């Protein structure tokens, strides 16, 4: 194999593909990027068994061929190359990169050992604006579980109805968001890994441009320009949001998102590092009092609010509250409660396309 291409173009392609390289695996080939040079195109393909990314660039291909190189190492190295022209070729010692008056070598693995990736997924599909997909991903994925105790919760439930509904939860909080779709082939529920959705979001460049997502046989495929992302979907029963979300409330509070967010941020400073990261809201007398107490100090502030229903005092993880507030985009937000130990929800005052549910914490104090 021998090819000539721009160094910056090479760096960007390798960087994108390397996001799918396995990090901890007993199969070294899964840590590699497969490079294939054919005609005037070079493709970079990586997979960790769950997520696969293929990136294609134009190049002057002098000798066709395919090789596998250590992915993260190759990405780190090419990321340090400037925009000068580089030559990539195979030698007895391995893969050589020539740039300027310099060169480097990388050990290779047998490309025939690289896993086969199905890039012909397309039985079902739905299409939407890129801006709407990015928004729904940003509004839900931060609520997905991070650990492997319940793997299915590391994904978002995507439900194709009249609109696309996304649900994410980690056992302590839940996010629900909706967005318009342009076309769809049938109705379906899929559970997509959050990391896949985040990689898709990072790769989207347009706002009004459209994007199509394809599903088939427990797999999802997205093509974005010269990049293809393929992911396994999680299988199993996702928690039904209807059984979790309250339908009636004893207390409704409407207040300024910015004022509440700033106050909670200040309160969170005093409890930084605490296990439960507890902040307490006391709702009474047309105000919400925000308080936190720790060994290093305490804070107590009040924010004006419109209150309907019962007064109460409720404690929660400050990070969960801040994450929800930052995901909302209106000046006024509504919080609804059913007492100090029941889950509560937060929404925009007007546009109800997204919703956040948070479990409170019993405050021993």
């Amino acid at each position: 194999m021998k090819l000539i291409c721009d160094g910056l173009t090479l760096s960007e392609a390798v960087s994108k593909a390397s996001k799918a390289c396995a990090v901890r695996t007993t199969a070294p080939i899964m840590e590699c990027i497969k490079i294939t040079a054919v005609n005037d195109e070079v493709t970079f393909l990586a997979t960790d068994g769950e997520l696969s990314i293929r990136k294609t660039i134009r190049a002057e291909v002098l000798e066709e061929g395919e090789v596998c190189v250590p992915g993260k190492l190759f990405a780190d190295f090419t990321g340090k190359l400037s925009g000068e022209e580089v030559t990539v070729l195979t030698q007895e010692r391995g893969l050589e990169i020539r740039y300027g008056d310099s060169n480097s070598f990388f050990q290779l693995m047998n490309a025939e050992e690289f896993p086969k990736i199905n890039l012909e997924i397309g039985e079902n599909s739905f299409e939407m604006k890129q801006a709407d997909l990015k928004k729904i991903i940003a509004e839900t994925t931060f609520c997905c579980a991070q650990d492997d105790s319940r793997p299915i919760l590391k994904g978002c439930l995507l439900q194709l109805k009249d609109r696309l509904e996304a649900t994410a939860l980690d056992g302590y909080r839940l996010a629900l968001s909706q967005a318009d779709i342009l076309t769809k082939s049938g109705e379906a529920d899929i559970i997509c890994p959050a990391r896949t959705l985040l990689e898709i979001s990072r790769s989207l460049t347009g706002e009004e441009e459209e994007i199509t997502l394809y599903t088939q046989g427990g797999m999802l495929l997205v093509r974005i320009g010269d990049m293809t992302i393929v992911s396994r979907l999680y299988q199993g029963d996702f928690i039904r949001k209807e059984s979790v979300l309250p339908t009636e409330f004893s207390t409704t509070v409407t207040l300024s998102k910015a004022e509440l967010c700033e106050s909670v941020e200040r309160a969170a400073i005093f409890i930084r590092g605490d296990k439960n990261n507890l902040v307490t809201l006391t709702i009474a007398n047309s105000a919400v009092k925000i308080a936190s107490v720790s060994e290093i100090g305490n804070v107590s502030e009040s924010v004006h609010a419109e209150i309907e229903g019962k007064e109460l005092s409720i404690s929660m993880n400050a990070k969960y509250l801040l994450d929800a507030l930052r995901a909302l985009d209106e000046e006024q937000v509504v919080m609804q409660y059913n007492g100090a130990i029941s889950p509560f929800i937060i929404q925009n005052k007007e546009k109800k396309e997204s919703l956040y549910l948070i479990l409170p914490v019993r405050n021993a104090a």
Side-chain angles (χ1 to χ4, degrees):
M1 183 179 76
K2 184 176 182 180
L3 61 97
I4 301 172
C5 64
D6 176 71
L8 183 58
T9 302
L10 173 67
S11 171
E12 291 176 346
V14 173
S15 176
K16 288 183 180 296
S18 69
K19 299 295 193 299
C21 290
V23 179
R24 290 179 292 273
T25 177
T26 56
I29 194 69
M30 303 290 280
E31 298 178 0
C32 291
I33 293 176
K34 181 181 178 181
I35 306 173
T36 304
V38 178
N39 297 325
D40 58 352
E41 290 187 342
V42 181
T43 62
F44 303 85
L45 177 63
T47 183
D48 61 5
E50 177 179 274
L51 175 67
S52 304
I53 298 177
R54 184 182 70 170
K55 174 72 174 177
T56 302
I57 64 171
R58 308 284 289 187
E60 182 183 354
V61 177
L62 304 176
E63 257 180 62
E64 296 184 350
E66 57 183 18
V67 297
C68 285
V69 295
K72 296 298 184 182
L73 178 65
F74 194 60
D76 289 344
F77 184 84
T78 55
K80 302 300 181 183
L81 294 176
S82 62
E84 62 185 316
E85 185 176 87
V86 298
T87 300
V88 181
L89 68 156
T90 51
Q91 302 272 31
E92 288 186 8
R93 294 172 57 189
L95 186 74
E96 180 184 2
I97 301 181
R98 297 174 183 170
Y99 44 101
D101 296 326
S102 306
N103 68 335
S104 59
F105 284 87
F106 290 84
Q107 286 187 333
L108 298 177
M109 293 193 68
N110 188 349
E112 294 181 0
E113 297 179 8
F114 196 83
K116 302 295 182 183
I117 309 300
N118 182 10
L119 299 171
E120 302 301 322
I121 296 164
E123 183 178 315
N124 302 299
S125 66
F126 62 96
E127 184 180 32
M128 60 194 304
K129 289 184 178 180
Q130 290 193 18
D132 290 336
L133 180 58
K134 288 189 75 166
K135 184 174 185 290
I136 207 170
I137 291 172
E139 290 178 347
T140 55
T141 49
F142 66 87
C143 284
C144 290
Q146 301 296 315
D147 58 60
D148 294 318
S149 59
R150 300 180 69 183
I152 201 169
L153 297 186
K154 295 174 70 176
C156 275
L157 172 65
L158 303 180
Q159 297 176 290
L160 280 175
K161 299 179 180 179
D162 294 332
R163 312 181 79 199
L164 177 63
E165 295 184 5
T167 306
L169 69 155
D170 61 7
Y172 303 98
R173 53 183 173 168
L174 175 147
L176 174 64
S177 183
Q178 301 178 9
D180 292 329
I181 53 177
L182 301 173
T183 63
K184 64 175 179 176
S185 59
E187 296 189 356
D189 293 356
I190 62 173
I191 306 169
C192 185
R195 64 186 289 250
T196 298
L197 293 173
L198 289 169
E199 285 301 330
I200 292 172
S201 182
R202 292 186 190 106
S203 303
L204 297 176
T205 56
E207 291 293 323
E208 295 303 311
E209 294 179 26
E210 298 163 2
I211 183 76
T212 303
L213 294 88
Y214 300 90
T215 61
Q216 180 178 329
M219 303 293 292
L220 175 134
L221 180 146
V222 181
R223 295 186 182 92
I224 307 165
D226 52 16
M227 185 165 71
T228 302
I229 297 175
V230 178
S231 176
R232 291 188 182 278
L233 300 173
Y234 292 144
Q235 304 299 315
D237 295 324
F238 203 82
I239 294 174
R240 296 180 66 250
K241 58 180 178 291
E242 294 81 6
S243 65
V244 177
L245 293 173
T247 56
E248 296 181 349
F249 302 92
S250 59
T251 305
T252 298
V253 180
T254 305
L255 74 173
S256 163
K257 185 192 83 166
E259 290 182 13
L260 178 60
C261 195
E262 290 170 2
S263 184
V264 175
E265 286 174 345
R266 287 189 288 268
I269 292 173
F270 288 93
I271 50 176
R272 190 180 295 159
D274 286 3
K275 181 181 178 181
N276 292 321
N277 200 28
L278 282 188
V279 63
T280 299
L281 306 187
T282 301
I283 300 165
N285 302 322
S286 299
V288 174
K289 186 175 79 172
I290 300 94
S292 67
V293 179
S294 71
E295 294 179 355
I296 60 174
N298 63 80
V299 65
S300 179
E301 299 184 9
S302 289
V303 174
H304 175 74
E306 297 177 14
I307 300 172
E308 297 179 16
K310 299 178 181 179
E311 299 179 350
L312 80 151
S313 179
I314 185 169
S315 298
M316 68 213 64
N317 185 303
K319 181 183 184 304
Y320 297 165
L321 179 58
L322 287 171
D323 284 346
L325 290 170
R326 290 165 182 160
L328 298 171
D329 56 11
E330 290 185 3
E331 293 183 2
Q332 295 281 307
V333 295
V334 175
M335 301 190 294
Q336 295 178 291
Y337 304 89
N338 279 316
I341 59 174
S342 298
F344 65 95
I345 68 168
I346 309 175
Q347 288 180 288
N348 287 317
K349 180 180 179 182
E350 302 296 336
K351 205 170 183 180
K352 306 293 186 181
E353 288 190 330
S354 57
L355 172 151
Y356 299 94
L357 176 143
I358 300 174
L359 292 179
V361 178
R362 291 179 182 267
N363 195 338

